[in-house]
Amino acid sequence: MNIEAQAIRDGKWWIAFFEIDGRQHGTQAKSLKRLEYMVKDAAALLTEKSPDSFNVTIRLKDSRLAGLVAGYSAASAAEAAASKELASASREAVSVMRGKNLSMEDIGTLLGITKGRVSQLAKA
């Protein structure tokens, strides 16, 4: 069962509000990781199901914090995609340049990497 909990920060505590069977419930914890556990535990008590049968998604009610998390996630995904693209482009460049009989040193100079890195890419 999927539960979407809305979390807010209140002093040293995180408070989660969630719905089960059309009724609002709440719980609290000192950390978000613990909050997820507490929501599962509360849901288990309310439904007499195992806590493991619940998949909890915590959503931040604070739009500023939620925006920062979304921005970070987008930047992280973009970085991962760029890193993958860079790896592919560097392997292709080294392969083509080696095929043109350029030295490891010259390839390194052209790509701005060490000849040791060129050697690694040539083996990949």
Side-chain angles (χ1 to χ4, degrees), residues 103-122:
S103 70
M104 298 282 194
E105 185 176 352
D106 286 344
I107 295 170
T109 299
L110 289 169
L111 298 180
I113 58 178
T114 65
K115 66 180 182 178
R117 181 65 181 135
V118 173
S119 179
Q120 290 174 336
L121 290 167

Side-chain angles (χ1 to χ4, degrees), residues 35-57:
L35 189 63
E36 179 181 349
Y37 168 81
M38 294 301 290
V39 171
K40 286 181 179 186
D41 189 55
L45 289 171
L46 292 164
T47 63
E48 297 181 3
K49 295 181 182 177
S50 165
D52 295 334
S53 65
F54 299 97
N55 180 32
V56 176
T57 303

Side-chain angles (χ1 to χ4, degrees), residues 64-83:
R64 173 84 169 123
L65 291 179
L68 290 169
V69 171
Y72 171 82
S73 295
S76 180
E79 178 186 32
S83 180

Side-chain angles (χ1 to χ4, degrees), residues 3-10 13-19 24-29 31-32 34-40 42 56-59 61:
I3 297 175
E4 186 169 311
Q6 297 292 320
I8 61 170
R9 186 76 176 168
D10 186 15
W13 294 90
W14 284 101
I15 301 171
F17 300 98
F18 58 97
E19 187 177 302
Q24 286 290 108
H25 302 280
T27 190
Q28 65 184 21
S31 72
L32 286 172
R34 185 80 177 144
L35 189 63
E36 179 181 349
Y37 168 81
M38 294 301 290
V39 171
K40 286 181 179 186
V56 176
T57 303
I58 303 287
R59 303 271 185 233
K61 282 193 78 136

